[in-house]
């Protein structure tokens, strides 16, 4: 029997398996599809909450720890696997921000590098921005990561690890229990057991918990995004405007996102959203009108109250744990979320207090 069984092979599930294995544990990871094919693939990869001062302190704590750790993680994955997750340390510009004082107060309180900049600064950094902007906010330490490539490099890391058994296309059909103990996880391909079981199923985590009679306020929040096939240098860093953003990739492609839709587990793209995303892109970088749209897709975020994830023991069970509900910040919060749960599982001193993330909070 393995030490740990992780249900869900998104970025959070894979990072957790990797963290536990580095402590000497043997881990089985199950996923109903292939690795990192849901929100881990569909997101944008900004390594910061959008407008971070608008989130509770519990999110800030996780985000701050994660942002610094991505530099080391990206380098380790390149060395381990040869796959570059394309961490871009170029900073983030925010324009048309109507609560600048709140942002600056937040930065001072949490000692985060954020400052107000003028038009000259904006256009020096991004000459192709829409004309007429007069000021903005600048966060120089914000990075972005190419999430599909992060998923691929994490998957390869797990496949190379003799302590990890990765099983894809294994949909969980039942979780077997005996009193307060999970005794097995039944899938379409067989039954698996471990000393400790972790649910890291993203938007599907609440459904998985229902198999053991527990409820969790995590629900799917649908989002659509679009990709332009542009040239390198057209956009160089993340730019936020009016709640949406553009994100450049190293090959010149520019991603624009995203919508927020509460439509359950349905995934689809619409002409209405395509038009809106296209208008957003041109409202930030007008010259994108000269480049073709390469892709338009959608995904499901694991929405949670105030965007605070659930990390820790499942109420009523001695060996069942949860790591879900990161909402729009799954990639941002993943390193800290997985480290915190690993600390709890391994009975180590935790990196931050686990109290705000308890299931029974």
């Amino acid at each position: 029997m393995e030490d740990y069984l992780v249900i869900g092979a998104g970025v959070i599930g894979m990072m957790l398996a990797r963290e536990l294995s580095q402590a000497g544990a043997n881990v089985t990871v199950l996923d109903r599809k292939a690795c990192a094919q849901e929100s881990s693939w569909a997101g944008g990869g900004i390594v910061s909450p959008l407008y971070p001062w608008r989130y509770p302190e519990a999110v800030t704590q996780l985000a701050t720890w994660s942002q610094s750790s991505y530099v080391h993680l990206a380098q380790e994955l390149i060395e381990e696997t040869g796959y570059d997750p394309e961490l871009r340390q170029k900073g983030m510009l925010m324009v048309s921000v109507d609560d600048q004082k709140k942002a600056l107060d937040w930065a001072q309180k949490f000692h985060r590098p954020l400052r107000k900049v003028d038009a000259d600064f904006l256009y020096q950094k991004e000459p192709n921005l829409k004309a007429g902007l007069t000021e903005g906010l600048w966060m120089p330490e914000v990075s972005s990561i190419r999430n599909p490539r992060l998923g691929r490099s994490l998957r390869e890391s797990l496949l190379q690890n003799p302590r990890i058994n990765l099983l894809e296309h294994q949909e969980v059909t039942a979780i077997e229990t005996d009193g307060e103990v999970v005794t097995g996880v039944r899938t379409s391909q067989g039954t698996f057991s471990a000393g400790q079981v972790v649910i890291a199923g993203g938007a599907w985590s609440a459904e998985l918990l229902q198999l053991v009679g527990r409820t969790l306020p995590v629900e799917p929040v649908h989002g659509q995004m679009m990709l332009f096939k542009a040239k390198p240098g057209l956009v160089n860093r993340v730019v936020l405007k009016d709640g949406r953003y553009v994100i450049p990739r190293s090959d010149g492609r520019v991603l624009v996102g995203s919508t927020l839709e509460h439509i359950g587990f349905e995934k689809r793209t619409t002409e209405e959203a395509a038009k809106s995303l296209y208008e957003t892109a041109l409202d930030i970088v007008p010259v994108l009108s000269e480049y073709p749209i390469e892709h338009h897709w959608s995904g499901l975020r694991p929405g949670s109250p105030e965007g605070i994830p659930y990390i820790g023991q499942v109420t009523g069970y001695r060996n069942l744990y949860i790591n879900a509900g990161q909402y729009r910040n799954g990639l941002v919060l993943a390193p800290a979320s997985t480290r915190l749960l690993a600390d709890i599982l391994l009975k180590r001193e935790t990196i931050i207090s686990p109290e705000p993330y308890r299931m029974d909070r």
Side-chain angles (χ1 to χ4, degrees):
M1 184 169 67
E2 302 282 40
D3 299 313
Y4 299 95
L5 189 153
V6 179
I7 303 172
V11 163
I12 285 175
M14 288 194 287
M15 283 190 184
L16 178 61
R18 191 169 175 273
E19 183 85 33
L20 292 169
S21 73
Q22 289 173 347
N26 294 316
V27 189
T28 290
V29 184
L30 306 174
D31 198 277
R32 65 188 188 91
K33 298 176 71 174
C35 292
Q37 292 301 299
E38 291 293 350
S39 60
S40 295
W41 180 90
I46 305 173
V47 187
S48 170
L50 303 183
Y51 308 106
W53 57 91
R54 298 175 186 172
Y55 283 90
E57 184 172 340
V59 174
T60 296
Q61 293 282 357
L62 290 171
T64 300
W65 197 94
S66 291
Q67 285 167 325
S68 59
S69 70
Y70 258 114
V71 177
H72 310 292
L73 175 64
Q75 190 57 45
E76 287 175 5
L77 289 172
I78 293 170
E79 293 173 1
E80 283 178 31
T81 71
Y83 290 123
D84 183 359
E86 287 191 16
L87 183 70
R88 291 173 55 90
Q89 299 173 268
K90 299 286 188 178
M92 178 169 72
L93 289 168
M94 294 164 281
V95 298
S96 302
V97 177
D98 58 8
D99 55 351
Q100 287 189 8
K101 184 180 186 305
K102 186 177 179 181
L104 295 168
D105 289 345
W106 170 88
Q108 184 176 23
K109 177 180 178 180
F110 292 103
H111 308 289
R112 304 304 300 156
L114 181 154
R115 62 187 176 96
K116 188 174 179 179
V117 295
D118 60 16
D120 288 343
F121 185 95
L122 292 176
Y123 292 106
Q124 179 186 25
K125 291 290 185 184
E126 293 294 337
N128 292 311
L129 286 178
K130 179 181 179 179
L133 298 171
T134 58
E135 63 181 19
L137 296 175
W138 168 237
M139 294 188 71
E141 291 188 357
V142 171
S143 305
S144 65
I145 198 158
R146 196 162 184 169
N147 40 302
R149 299 194 178 189
L150 173 63
R152 184 173 68 174
S153 58
L154 283 168
R155 181 180 184 272
E156 185 62 27
S157 175
L158 267 58
L159 289 172
Q160 292 180 14
N161 192 323
R163 292 190 176 276
I164 297 175
N165 182 26
L166 177 60
L167 300 172
E168 298 173 295
H169 306 289
Q170 300 266 350
E171 185 165 6
V172 172
T173 58
I175 298 177
E176 300 170 350
T177 62
D178 181 7
E180 296 180 344
V181 177
V182 172
T183 58
V185 175
R186 196 185 313 155
T187 77
S188 53
Q189 305 295 320
T191 300
F192 303 88
S193 60
Q196 310 287 336
V197 177
V198 178
I199 292 175
W204 288 264
S205 295
E207 289 195 337
L208 289 165
L209 272 176
Q210 287 175 4
L211 296 175
V212 294
R214 295 292 179 268
T215 60
L216 189 75
V218 170
E219 62 178 4
V221 182
H222 186 253
Q224 300 183 53
M225 306 188 77
M226 182 178 287
L227 187 70
F228 287 79
K229 191 174 182 179
K231 64 180 183 179
L234 189 79
V235 184
N236 292 296
R237 54 196 43 82
V238 177
V239 183
L240 271 61
K241 185 176 187 292
D242 300 327
R244 289 189 176 176
Y245 50 80
V246 294
I247 307 169
R249 302 306 196 197
S250 295
D251 58 11
R253 288 175 169 84
V254 177
L255 184 152
V256 57
S258 63
T259 65
L260 289 171
E261 306 162 58
H262 293 268
I263 57 173
F265 284 96
E266 180 183 2
K267 283 195 297 184
R268 80 289 189 273
T269 56
T270 64
E271 288 298 322
E272 179 183 10
K275 181 175 183 292
S276 177
L277 290 168
Y278 186 81
E279 290 173 350
T280 290
L282 269 58
D283 186 51
I284 300 174
V285 183
V287 74
L288 282 171
S289 64
E290 300 174 11
Y291 297 89
I293 297 167
E294 188 172 40
H295 194 28
H296 173 204
W297 70 94
S298 70
L300 299 175
R301 312 173 184 89
S304 60
E306 296 187 282
I308 302 174
Y310 294 90
I311 304 169
Q313 192 169 3
V314 172
T315 308
Y317 288 92
R318 296 204 302 265
N319 68 333
L320 183 61
Y321 295 80
I322 185 76
N323 196 341
Q326 282 77 7
Y327 190 26
R328 303 188 77 177
N329 298 310
L331 287 165
V332 185
L333 306 183
S337 296
T338 56
R339 173 60 185 272
L340 176 58
L341 186 54
D343 288 344
I344 294 170
L345 290 167
L346 297 167
K347 303 187 186 312
R348 303 184 301 207
E349 182 179 354
T350 57
I351 53 167
I352 57 175
S353 171
E355 293 302 313
Y357 317 101
R358 290 169 57 100
M359 184 172 165
D360 60 355
R361 63 182 186 243

